[in-house]
Amino acid sequence: MSSLLDEKFNPEESLYRGVVKINWDYERGRPSSATFKDSNGISVDRGGGRNESDCIDFLLSKRKWKAISKVSVRDVLSVNAVVLYKPIPENMFHSEVHDSTTKLTLPQSKSKKLRDLAIDVYVDHQQ
Amino acid sequence: MEMRTLNKKIHPQSSPSSTNLGFLGLIIAGCTSSNINLGMMNGNDELREVLRLKPSSTRSNKKEIFSLNEVIANKKTLDNLKSLKFGWNGYQSLPINVSVMEKAELLINQMERQPKIFPTGRGTLQFEFSNNEDYLEIEISSAENSFFEQKKENEFEGKISTEMINEKVNEFFA
């Protein structure tokens, strides 16, 4: 699949991650840092020049998320992680956050810091 | 026995002894989200002994920490997490490993402080604790466990054996 977006990221570009109900901390009203832990790197949708409501609607078209959180590319770099553009056939915005260019999984400290930097741009209060 | 009794937080000056806690763990271990049957416990003298909230000198100075209600809620959470399938978080997430589940069940039966439990996409479970602004998370995996702790301005991260987890949590709240 040919990349339709620039491989390089603007530091201000937003990265969106869907949050499922069981990863939502109801007591604190925010996702657990477990949201930012994955064995294959953390899948996110890059903004890719869209406005935020389009990004949210695109994610919601795939699944009924409890919430959608966003971090900026600058946030990712600030915790010494990296973001890579990894488009897939069904999602040209798909990208992944890795610990480094050679290691996929983030250590706990980086996951926690990303959670702290994340902004919840959508929360389903019915769930 | 009335349900109201189980909802009550056990006061430190009247918390159950470790022997009784172990027994309680066995009872709770037999409960699932669907078969918690308080009626079955009726008539059990030893359980009644536990719930009579006998004083324990070893915990006399601690705040309210042990809640049977929280243990049962965490048992229910673990039961629910057992059914997670590949891709449960909408991405490429792994189901929670069986050995991780077993380890987690044993731990919550032993822990005085009950964690908030969250699954991760890498097939592990995360136990979270907070104490004002301080934060502790322990990631339970089949091979090894790890922790991340934020206390005031300091951060600590490392591996931890299963046997040391309860002590680590108590130390965090000390």
Side-chain angles (χ1 to χ4, degrees):
Chain A
M1 177 183 176
S2 61
S3 297
L4 300 175
L5 298 171
D6 194 337
E7 294 280 342
K8 290 186 178 177
F9 287 83
N10 182 318
E12 303 310 320
E13 187 169 354
S14 293
L15 307 169
Y16 297 86
R17 169 89 172 169
V19 183
V20 291
K21 189 178 171 182
I22 50 177
N23 275 154
W24 186 255
D25 184 343
Y26 282 85
E27 193 180 315
R28 295 190 173 244
R30 63 186 188 189
S32 160
S33 63
T35 300
F36 297 98
K37 291 179 179 174
D38 213 305
S39 52
N40 298 308
I42 304 161
S43 287
V44 291
D45 282 7
R46 65 186 295 185
R50 296 172 293 170
N51 65 43
E52 191 152 277
S53 63
D54 286 345
C55 297
I56 293 169
D57 289 345
F58 184 73
L59 263 169
L60 289 174
S61 70
K62 299 183 210 168
R63 189 182 175 119
K64 196 178 176 189
W65 302 103
K66 164 62 187 172
I68 295 172
S69 298
K70 75 169 181 182
V71 291
S72 68
V73 172
R74 186 184 301 280
D75 291 334
V76 172
L77 298 177
S78 75
V79 302
N80 286 321
V82 297
V83 57
L84 305 168
Y85 182 39
K86 300 264 189 180
I88 52 179
E90 62 274 23
N91 185 356
M92 64 176 279
F93 303 102
H94 183 259
S95 305
E96 291 176 4
V97 175
H98 294 181
D99 182 34
S100 68
T101 51
T102 56
K103 187 170 172 246
L104 291 176
T105 57
L106 270 66
Q108 286 172 281
S109 54
K110 291 186 183 180
S111 299
K112 168 68 165 52
K113 283 169 187 166
L114 275 186
R115 194 285 303 277
D116 289 346
L117 291 166
I119 297 168
D120 303 319
V121 292
Y122 167 86
V123 179
D124 181 352
H125 296 286
Q126 304 302 312
Q127 289 190 55
Chain B
M1 180 192 313
E2 295 177 12
M3 176 72 96
R4 192 153 36 95
T5 311
L6 289 176
N7 288 336
K8 186 173 183 176
K9 285 215 173 204
I10 296 177
H11 191 272
Q13 293 184 332
S14 56
S15 58
S17 68
S18 57
T19 305
N20 286 335
L21 266 179
F23 170 75
L24 200 53
L26 287 174
I27 296 235
I28 293 162
C31 299
T32 67
S33 56
S34 58
N35 74 354
I36 294 171
N37 185 342
L38 298 177
M40 285 170 56
M41 297 178 181
N42 275 334
N44 188 316
D45 292 340
E46 198 161 357
L47 179 63
R48 226 181 264 128
E49 176 98 353
V50 174
L51 295 174
R52 198 184 303 149
L53 316 178
K54 294 183 72 177
S56 165
S57 60
T58 56
R59 298 178 187 190
S60 59
N61 292 324
K62 294 180 182 176
K63 295 178 182 174
E64 289 189 352
I65 54 171
F66 180 79
S67 165
L68 180 57
N69 220 31
E70 290 175 3
V71 180
I72 291 172
N74 272 340
K75 283 289 294 178
K76 189 174 175 181
T77 299
L78 288 178
D79 281 341
N80 290 335
L81 297 181
K82 282 176 186 169
S83 60
L84 294 179
K85 306 277 190 251
F86 179 81
W88 58 265
N89 71 351
Y91 299 102
Q92 301 287 305
S93 51
L94 302 173
I96 308 303
N97 188 292
V98 174
S99 64
V100 172
M101 280 292 180
E102 290 171 352
K103 203 190 279 190
E105 282 180 349
L106 284 173
L107 280 167
I108 64 166
N109 285 339
Q110 296 165 359
M111 297 177 97
E112 294 171 348
R113 305 271 185 174
Q114 286 296 302
K116 282 189 253 181
I117 302 174
F118 298 99
T120 81
R122 46 196 189 208
T124 63
L125 286 175
Q126 182 164 306
F127 284 10
E128 285 186 18
F129 304 87
S130 53
N131 188 13
N132 298 318
E133 294 305 307
D134 295 341
Y135 174 82
L136 171 67
E137 67 175 43
I138 296 170
E139 190 171 348
I140 314 291
S141 75
S142 51
E144 58 188 3
N145 316 302
S146 54
F147 73 94
F148 172 67
E149 181 177 10
Q150 277 181 323
K151 216 160 190 180
K152 294 188 168 55
E153 300 302 311
N154 301 312
E155 294 181 358
F156 310 93
E157 192 167 24
K159 306 293 180 195
I160 184 167
S161 69
T162 305
E163 296 73 27
M164 292 301 291
I165 288 177
N166 202 17
E167 190 174 324
K168 178 73 183 169
V169 173
N170 289 337
E171 182 187 297
F172 171 74
F173 284 99

